[in-house]
Amino acid sequence: MRPVTIKVGLGTCGISAGAKDVYDELERLLKTERSAILDYTSCNGMCFLEPIVEIYQPDKPVQVLTNVKKSDVPAILQGLKTDNFHSSETISEFSAVQKKLILGNCGLINPDRIEDYLERGGYEALRKIVKNNDPEDVIKIIKNSGLRGRGGAGFLTGVKWELAQKAKGKKKYVICNADEGDPGAFMNRAVLEGDPHRVIEGLIISGYAIGADRGYIYVRAEYPLAVQRIKNAILKAKDQHFLGENILGSKFSFELMIKEGAGAFVCGEETALMASIEGKRGMPKLRPPYPAQSGLWGCPTNINNVETLAAVPWIIRNGADEYAKLGKEKNRGTKVFSLAGKIKRSGLAEVELGTSLRKIIYEVGGGTISGEKVKAVQLGGPSGGCLPDRLLDTTVDYESLAATGAIMGSGGIIVMDNDTCIVDIARYFLNFTQQESCGKCTFCRIGTKRMLEILERITEGKSSIKELEKLKDLAEKITSASLCMLGKTAPNPVLTTLKYFEDEYLEHIQDKKCRAGVCKALIKFEIKADKCTGCTLCAKNCPVKAISGQRKQPHFIDQSLCTKCGVCADVCGFGAVEKK
Ligand SMILES: Cc1cc2nc3c(=O)[nH]c(=O)nc-3n(C[C@H](O)[C@H](O)[C@H](O)COP(=O)(O)O)c2cc1C
Ligand code: SF4
Ligand code: SF4
């Protein structure tokens, strides 16, 4: 009889929620109890339920225990004896709309064990293509599948591979772009941590297709667990002859290196990324020439996103037609989105392209934490756009999203409710791109700074209507005069918020009001004398001693000292502190 196995989700999200403590405690107690085998997997997409522990018992359904604490471990082991567990109910709702292709193995296999990947069809695609020995056929399959690059631009992958394959050059390279620098995006990290061999297999296949014998995975050093798991996976793949000289007995040889990036957003841009691999400063270059013609060290290079490459083994194994059945016209397959912000179920959602935003946010994500209506959704990170609730029936495909002014980007979805100030959000994203500008282009370097100053004045109630025109004018100039997409798209969050939420800008400027109560200069805290019992709690907790008053008498906030930290409102048990 197969033994009972307990699996703990040890992805970055799980570990940060305490899963490693749970794992260590299970390990400690199982040393004496020996009632089960302990194993680990990675994130299964349900970050909101971490730490997650799964119990695999022979001939019984898997028990999924969620939000587990170290102190729950003895009861879990006791549950093994009585078969009494408390599985989570939210799981089926979270998974119903999803179609897991890229994330098919994540949260199921042990990412450090190549055997787990092999058991689930891993490296079969590589075996198949080296046996057929027809790189052009591989390109044909990828072209027929309709796969588009998931790094943001949505360029047809097969067409890109063909360009690199046809380019003249003795030496060619392939690169996996795992930089993932957008705030709120963590899809690529989850795939690398949870199923690294899938990406490696996709990259080897891309190398085979274009005639490259060396590849790089460019991953940010801020993803140490992903780096560790890829390193281990490369060693295991070498052991099994999926990498190295004469792969699987064929004439094809392929070496794979890891380059850790220092965490600059601009280094996700392909030409800057290649400069970084070459040991130069990560600055974008004018294209053409495109990487397919002249990339790494001047050689033809193909660069793809993690998710693009992760789709490749599935397509080769199952056929282009099967992949093309998913999604909608011109937008085939699935896309992984990371759900973040004020959403109830934060985590990863893999859905067919063509699914509506409303379905993703409400059916997968469960709506907002507060249960209020969604106010806005930021799509595509700092280069993307902010859409209002009324546009949530827009489907996630490259063209429909572009028509709204937002973009698919790499797949970050940040949900906002009424406690979010739209002007402040625009300021936040512009501040990000401003700081991440490489500085090469004047408009991107200085124009974004001027835009940011205007936004800061608006949030401080010091701006004028005239400055809105200036904001639009600068946005237009930055878009047209910047070299790379970082600059060209930097004004997007401002332009979309102005398009859909202009009334909030006007309120800040004309009425000196921030309806979300976020912009500090436009709010004040006051104590309502009729509600205050004089308990003194706020005065004791105020960090700048701005509150005074006698015990059992109404208290009073000195506005000249108040820093608007809001501690008084948080501690008052009588609802006497009002934010105005
Ligand atoms: C500022 C900036 C950052 C980018 N960051 C990433 C990234 O983190 N990951 C990624 O795959 N593509 C990123 N891209 C897009 C890449 O330049 C490139 O288009 C992509 O890696 C191509 O892969 P794909 O064809 O599979 O989409 C970025 C582009 C810009 C302008
Ligand atoms: S647009 Fe900005 S990030 Fe891009 S090259 Fe110019 S200065 Fe650098
Ligand atoms: S905490 Fe509330 S009730 Fe107590 S003194 Fe402050 S305002 Fe009054």
Side-chain angles (χ1 to χ4, degrees), residues 315 444 508:
I315 295 170
C444 176
H508 280 71

Side-chain angles (χ1 to χ4, degrees), residues 527-528 531-539 547 553-555 568 571-577:
I527 295 175
K528 290 203 81 172
K531 287 194 176 169
C532 179
T533 61
C535 74
T536 75
L537 201 58
C538 55
I547 304 177
Q553 293 297 318
H555 278 45
C568 49
V571 296
C572 178
F574 302 92
V577 183

Side-chain angles (χ1 to χ4, degrees), residues 105 173 313 353 384 424 490 505 510 514:
N105 291 340
Y173 295 99
L353 286 175
D424 185 61
Y505 279 85
Q510 292 172 329
C514 170

Side-chain angles (χ1 to χ4, degrees), residues 419 516-518 523-526 566 569 577-580:
D419 290 337
V518 170
I523 56 166
K524 70 175 181 180
F525 288 91
E526 273 181 4
V577 183
E578 273 199 338
K579 186 158 62 167
K580 283 190 166 174

